[in-house]
Amino acid sequence: MNQKWTFHTILILMALIGMGTAVMRHLSAGTPFLPGQAKSVWLVEARVDFDTTGGPVSASLSLPDDHPPGFELFEEQAASPGYGFTVLGEGDNRRAEWTKREAEGEQSLYYSAQLVESDSDGASAAEPVFSSREYNNYWEDAQELAAKEVLGLARGKSSSPLSLTRELIKLLNSPSSQNAALLRSDTLGQAELLIHFLNRADIPARYVMGLYLEDARRRQILTPMVEIYTEQEWLLVNPKTGDVGVPPNLLLWHRGGVSVLDVSGGKNSRVHFSMIRQTVPAAQLAQITKSDSIFSRLGVQRLPIEEQSMFKLLLLLPLGAAVVVFMRVIIGLKTSGTFMPVLIALAFLQTSLVEGLISFVLVVAAGLALRGYLSRLNLLLVARIAALIVLVIFMISAFSIIGYQLGYSAGMTITFFPMIIIAWTIERMSILWEEDGPSEVVSQGGGSLLVAVIAYLLMQMPLFVHLTFNFPELNLVLLASILAMGQYTGYKLSELWRFRAMDDL
């Protein structure tokens, strides 16, 4: 009795510590308990990688201006030990510069910026400076004739710089245009090719690189765009679709003709971006980002953006685990495996529910058919499981390729499913089929999918996503509830329903 009382006391203290820490974080750092009560803050991290040649190193990276369209730069910093760091220039010409007298081996430089969503258009006020003469003799004779014909057709169907730009994009994207095909075979990209055409038509245009912001994305690259100068302002144009204006989730990172990244004293240089979206109270935004409190120093937000994106998913796992324990211990639902449903639910977060269910059922059904053939070969267990893993990989690859060829790009998301877990699931269901029949397979398989769907519905709710990431200590409350359910020895709800007829006796 004393041991049971001690256990219950520990559970209560654990839950109180989790909730108390969350309350203290809310009061000291101002982090809201409910999503949607604060402004959105994007944390964007640029990572520059290169190999040194042994000697002085200088790296220069183009940066967005202080007020890019739709955003406001709140804070920026660099994390590159041993390097000197300086931000040079202003406006559209801001660049980050790292310098070091001597460096060896592979180097990684980090630049991070905090951007607050705003209503400002951030339009560039720079006057165009260009000469169309340098574009008059760019192509060879055959390409020159094709360019003149394409430009002539576009001019005949347009009446303004913007309409000419749209007509050029249509012609360059036309699969039936031989002239466009000839020009596309050049080394220029679509954006650079469009700029050449516009400058030949005496329309100022410049190269722009934008970064599409998506929550918890890693290793993203910049997207080429084009800005044209018309009616005393610069307009952003998508060189592939012809859409005009800055999309809400596009951050203009680079403007002008200079390079995005320059590295002196290194080779194989490359840059990619990671990003994450957070909600922070607008009134306390400055205090939070500059706070030296214990919650700020030990928070997940201090990790690099790439790791934060990973933890945003990992911190949802305790919620899925609690759902599995509740459905099995309290409800009495049968599942194939203990925590396979929560891993499937985690995959659903990447694939979406409908596509994930269809993909999972197809792979498991095909795997059961192949497992039936393997059972007739009398293989050892280790060899059978290894062969099944290889077959699962082949099936997932085949479904992804076939789905893509049929125009269903969602089929490629099947790769998010844990292959080892799927292989073990197929093995367990096959043995269950042989020992207890197909009805038991349907019962446990259906129960696993039901639990996975319930866990997915909870794990994708904005409230739980917000709480688990910003208040990770609340997982102590989930841990206490899981331990409490682990000592439950009474009737399950399914058993009460099964023996309901005994109430009449």
Side-chain angles (χ1 to χ4, degrees), residues 108-129:
S108 295
L109 310 177
Y110 294 89
Y111 167 84
S112 62
Q114 300 185 25
L115 298 118
V116 184
E117 293 182 357
S118 67
D119 298 328
S120 64
D121 57 6
S124 174
E127 293 291 333
V129 178

Side-chain angles (χ1 to χ4, degrees), residues 274-334:
S274 302
M275 63 210 68
I276 193 169
R277 185 176 185 173
Q278 286 185 288
T279 54
V280 181
Q284 302 180 24
L285 193 57
Q287 291 84 347
I288 294 173
T289 55
K290 299 180 180 180
S291 175
D292 293 329
S293 66
I294 185 65
F295 297 106
S296 177
R297 291 195 296 269
L298 299 180
V300 179
Q301 292 81 358
R302 282 298 181 96
L303 296 175
I305 303 299
E306 193 169 346
E307 279 67 28
Q308 288 188 43
S309 303
M310 177 185 65
F311 272 100
K312 195 165 189 177
L313 294 177
L314 289 180
L315 290 174
L316 288 169
L317 286 176
L319 178 61
V323 172
V324 174
V325 173
F326 177 80
M327 296 300 292
R328 291 194 54 148
V329 175
I330 306 300
I331 303 298
L333 196 66
K334 294 182 179 180

Side-chain angles (χ1 to χ4, degrees), residues 20-41 278-296 301 466-467 470-471 473:
T21 306
V23 171
M24 292 174 61
R25 183 187 298 272
H26 171 72
L27 296 177
S28 64
T31 308
F33 280 118
L34 297 177
Q37 293 184 341
K39 280 190 174 183
S40 295
V41 176
Q278 286 185 288
T279 54
V280 181
Q284 302 180 24
L285 193 57
Q287 291 84 347
I288 294 173
T289 55
K290 299 180 180 180
S291 175
D292 293 329
S293 66
I294 185 65
F295 297 106
S296 177
Q301 292 81 358
H466 172 80
L467 288 177
N470 291 285
F471 300 93
E473 57 273 3

Side-chain angles (χ1 to χ4, degrees), residues 361-433:
V361 171
L362 286 176
V363 171
V364 172
L368 285 175
L370 293 174
R371 170 58 175 79
Y373 172 74
L374 292 177
S375 64
R376 294 195 292 270
L377 300 179
N378 296 324
L379 299 175
L380 296 175
L381 176 62
V382 175
R384 189 169 67 237
I385 294 296
L388 197 57
I389 291 174
V390 176
L391 292 175
V392 166
I393 294 175
F394 277 119
M395 285 188 295
I396 289 177
S397 302
F399 285 141
S400 299
I401 295 173
I402 293 173
Y404 179 75
Q405 293 297 329
L406 294 177
Y408 299 102
S409 58
M412 294 184 293
T413 59
I414 194 174
T415 55
F416 285 107
F417 284 100
M419 298 181 186
I420 306 299
I421 297 299
I422 289 182
W424 270 108
T425 299
I426 294 172
E427 175 70 16
R428 289 171 58 90
M429 287 187 175
S430 179
I431 296 175
L432 194 65
W433 188 298

